[in-house]
Amino acid sequence: MEDQFIKTASLIGDPTRASILWTLMDGRAFTATELAVSVNTSPQNISMHLGKLLDANLLCVEKQGRHKYYRFSNKEVAYALEAMASLVPKPEILSKNKPEKYPPIKFCRTCYDHLAGKIGVALTDSLLEQNIIKENNNAFEISIEGKKWFSDFGINLEEAQKQKRIFLKPCLDWSERRNHIAGSVGTLLFNKMKNEDWLRKTENSRAIIVTAKGEKELLKYFKIVV
Amino acid sequence: MEDQFIKTASLIGDPTRASILWTLMDGRAFTATELAVSVNTSPQNISMHLGKLLDANLLCVEKQGRHKYYRFSNKEVAYALEAMASLVPKPEILSKNKPEKYPPIKFCRTCYDHLAGKIGVALTDSLLEQNIIKENNNAFEISIEGKKWFSDFGINLEEAQKQKRIFLKPCLDWSERRNHIAGSVGTLLFNKMKNEDWLRKTENSRAIIVTAKGEKELLKYFKIVV
DNA sequence: TTCATAGTTAAGTACAGAATGAACTATTGC
DNA sequence: GCAATAGTTCATTCTGTACTTAACTATGAA
């Protein structure tokens, strides 16, 4: 087991591969060329690295025409990378000239396609407190009041329920070590907030920006102080 | 953030350092020389690597006379490494000639000084089911029946309660993604089982072996089928 | 058919950074 | 005091493996 662990660690530990994995951390699938651009290296080199990541079963591929889409082969990969990201030394320790707060990714970020980080957990807490959702042996369900709330909020639950993907489930947050909402409900909430310009995605990062409008609305709807 | 992540990943990814971290994963503190032996390299080299791990705040040191004891600086490190270990390709995939089961570390292992893995979680479930312990917003407490049970089982809770360390708390298991018992109660349970020869520690690994006796007793006391 | 784009494979090179060797400080024990 | 052990520092060497150059296959569009 030890040498297997070491192999996996070195696999992830190469700068170029770590950068590939970082890029893939927002849950989307990328083509080899896109990754080459994102990571700033040659196609041959990317091909070599992707091959190694595939061999170790960290990534999987889907062929579409002449494109190949790479993504994580399972969620454990994303979890492990998040856990590693949480080890990044905090800016305070790193350099005393830049007394920054927590890195933004820890504060507010996406986990695949739903909100994670502090905001994700606070949102979930608020929904639980307002009895919009209920927890029941490690599963979430929407209450009767909750159904009304979602439709008032402008989210069509019936539509979501028809989808094949999981409707609603708890997802463990790495930095907060607390549950937050995943599944299509999680995605719908996130998309709604994005469309209403409460939140904005940043380029090439999983960090999310809370707009001035978002700050107000999050306080109003969820009593979240940003 | 990305380059910070990459730095951390490369830090962990070096074979020698990965081996150091692996050794430290059972939660004990090791001296530099012990680590040099365990990792099979020179004292100078270990010193260099330990220095880097200290700089990144993954490890911390305690000086005791002319010895220096190294250990993880926080539990996030252990969590991240466990999460990485869970990415190790399963033997079935790795080689078709050795159709082994899960690596033993995932099955039964220690997390710092208490039981983790499948057994750790099953044990906790059983204690909850038997109303020996109760869960209350992410905290465990011992019931009145539970107090009797522990004393029957041969564990002196009063003694443990006097200690400075945390008495009882849930600890999240990486492979199972479920809570299990930590704190001094967790340690006492583990030590008791070790002393009664239900379980045995393996050399240089965090894996735990369940003895034939252990198999019987775990079934009897906790209805755990090994 | 031909050109362009997407991606792979193979051989050779380059270099970051790990390991080594030698000389050092610090603490313990006799 | 001195010897032995624990650990560090720095200059030098060495080596694994990432990256490059070049030639290749596969798919799609004109």
Side-chain angles (χ1 to χ4, degrees):
Chain A
M1 182 79 182
E2 173 170 6
D3 45 343
Q4 291 294 334
F5 172 78
I6 293 173
K7 269 186 198 161
T8 305
S10 338
L11 190 75
I12 300 172
D14 169 76
T16 305
R17 285 192 292 266
S19 184
I20 293 173
L21 294 168
W22 181 261
T23 304
L24 291 172
M25 248 167 99
D26 70 357
R28 283 185 294 158
F30 285 76
T31 66
T33 310
E34 281 171 339
L35 286 170
V37 172
S38 155
V39 166
N40 193 31
T41 188
S42 67
Q44 308 93 294
N45 200 27
I46 273 288
S47 186
M48 184 267 294
H49 286 301
L50 289 174
K52 295 193 175 185
L53 291 167
L54 281 177
D55 281 346
N57 202 36
L58 293 189
L59 301 187
C60 61
V61 213
E62 217 166 314
K63 211 176 171 183
Q64 256 173 53
R66 57 180 165 178
H67 295 277
K68 278 188 171 182
Y69 284 90
Y70 291 85
R71 58 186 167 80
F72 293 153
S73 63
N74 58 63
K75 61 185 173 172
E76 272 69 32
V77 180
Y79 291 137
L81 295 170
E82 288 253 358
M84 289 177 69
S86 78
L87 299 183
V88 166
K90 289 173 196 128
E92 299 94 19
I93 297 167
L94 207 68
S95 76
K96 279 151 191 167
N97 1 347
K98 278 190 187 177
E100 268 180 86
K101 288 217 175 184
Y102 268 69
I105 196 163
K106 249 200 154 179
F107 177 64
C108 188
R109 64 178 191 287
T110 48
C111 169
Y112 286 84
D113 53 3
H114 57 268
L115 274 177
K118 272 205 166 47
I119 295 261
V121 169
L123 175 67
T124 307
D125 281 349
S126 174
L127 291 174
L128 281 165
E129 213 168 281
Q130 295 181 62
N131 280 315
I132 293 163
I133 58 171
K134 287 186 293 187
E135 194 170 0
N136 228 325
N137 31 284
N138 219 34
F140 286 146
E141 52 186 52
I142 296 175
S143 68
I144 301 160
E145 314 91 282
K147 279 177 189 156
K148 186 180 176 309
W149 184 90
F150 271 101
S151 99
D152 290 350
F153 194 64
I155 287 176
N156 187 343
L157 288 180
E158 279 86 49
E159 196 65 35
Q161 227 136 7
K162 278 180 206 153
Q163 283 183 269
K164 271 180 196 165
R165 64 176 289 196
I166 290 166
F167 179 60
L168 178 61
K169 64 156 188 174
C171 172
L172 195 81
D173 188 275
W174 254 110
S175 54
E176 301 294 317
R177 320 213 71 230
R178 299 271 308 285
N179 275 331
H180 60 259
I181 289 183
S184 28
V185 175
T187 307
L188 285 169
L189 276 168
F190 175 48
N191 287 339
K192 176 76 182 172
M193 293 181 188
K194 217 169 47 183
N195 294 338
E196 297 285 334
D197 199 36
W198 296 13
L199 307 175
R200 280 183 210 148
K201 274 206 160 193
T202 51
E203 281 294 320
N204 294 322
S205 158
R206 279 121 310 274
I208 299 285
I209 288 165
V210 180
T211 64
K213 186 185 175 193
E215 215 165 302
K216 275 186 219 159
E217 301 288 0
L218 284 170
L219 181 63
K220 183 177 145 197
Y221 278 89
F222 307 108
K223 296 191 183 114
I224 295 173
V225 181
V226 182
Chain B
M1 181 78 182
E2 174 170 7
D3 45 343
Q4 291 293 335
F5 171 79
I6 293 172
K7 269 186 197 161
T8 305
S10 339
L11 192 75
I12 299 173
D14 170 77
T16 304
R17 285 191 293 267
S19 184
I20 292 173
L21 294 168
W22 180 262
T23 304
L24 291 171
M25 249 168 99
D26 70 357
R28 284 185 294 156
F30 285 76
T31 66
T33 310
E34 281 171 340
L35 287 170
V37 172
S38 155
V39 166
N40 193 30
T41 187
S42 67
Q44 308 95 289
N45 200 27
I46 273 288
S47 185
M48 185 266 294
H49 286 301
L50 289 174
K52 294 194 176 187
L53 291 167
L54 280 176
D55 281 347
N57 202 36
L58 293 189
L59 300 187
C60 61
V61 214
E62 216 168 315
K63 212 177 170 182
Q64 256 175 52
R66 57 182 166 181
H67 295 276
K68 279 188 169 182
Y69 284 90
Y70 291 85
R71 59 187 166 80
F72 294 155
S73 63
N74 57 63
K75 60 185 173 172
E76 272 68 32
V77 179
Y79 291 138
L81 296 170
E82 289 253 356
M84 288 176 70
S86 78
L87 299 183
V88 166
K90 288 171 196 132
E92 299 93 20
I93 297 166
L94 208 67
S95 75
K96 279 152 193 169
N97 1 347
K98 278 192 188 176
E100 266 181 84
K101 288 217 174 183
Y102 267 71
I105 195 162
K106 251 200 153 178
F107 176 65
C108 188
R109 65 178 190 287
T110 48
C111 168
Y112 287 83
D113 53 4
H114 56 269
L115 274 176
K118 271 205 166 46
I119 295 263
V121 169
L123 175 67
T124 307
D125 281 349
S126 175
L127 291 174
L128 282 165
E129 215 167 278
Q130 295 181 62
N131 279 317
I132 293 163
I133 58 170
K134 287 186 293 187
E135 193 169 0
N136 227 325
N137 34 282
N138 218 35
F140 286 146
E141 52 185 53
I142 296 174
S143 68
I144 300 161
E145 312 92 281
K147 278 176 189 158
K148 187 181 176 310
W149 184 90
F150 271 101
S151 99
D152 289 350
F153 195 64
I155 287 176
N156 188 344
L157 288 178
E158 279 86 47
E159 196 65 34
Q161 226 137 7
K162 278 181 205 152
Q163 283 183 268
K164 271 180 194 165
R165 63 175 291 197
I166 290 166
F167 179 61
L168 178 61
K169 63 156 188 176
C171 173
L172 195 82
D173 188 276
W174 253 110
S175 54
E176 300 295 317
R177 319 211 75 229
R178 299 270 308 285
N179 275 332
H180 60 259
I181 289 184
S184 28
V185 175
T187 307
L188 285 169
L189 276 168
F190 175 48
N191 287 338
K192 176 77 182 171
M193 293 182 187
K194 216 169 47 185
N195 294 338
E196 297 285 333
D197 198 38
W198 297 13
L199 307 175
R200 279 184 211 148
K201 273 207 160 193
T202 52
E203 281 294 319
N204 294 322
S205 157
R206 278 122 310 271
I208 298 284
I209 288 165
V210 181
T211 63
K213 186 184 175 193
E215 215 165 302
K216 275 185 220 161
E217 302 287 359
L218 285 170
L219 181 64
K220 182 178 144 199
Y221 279 89
F222 307 109
K223 296 190 185 114
I224 295 173
V225 181
V226 182

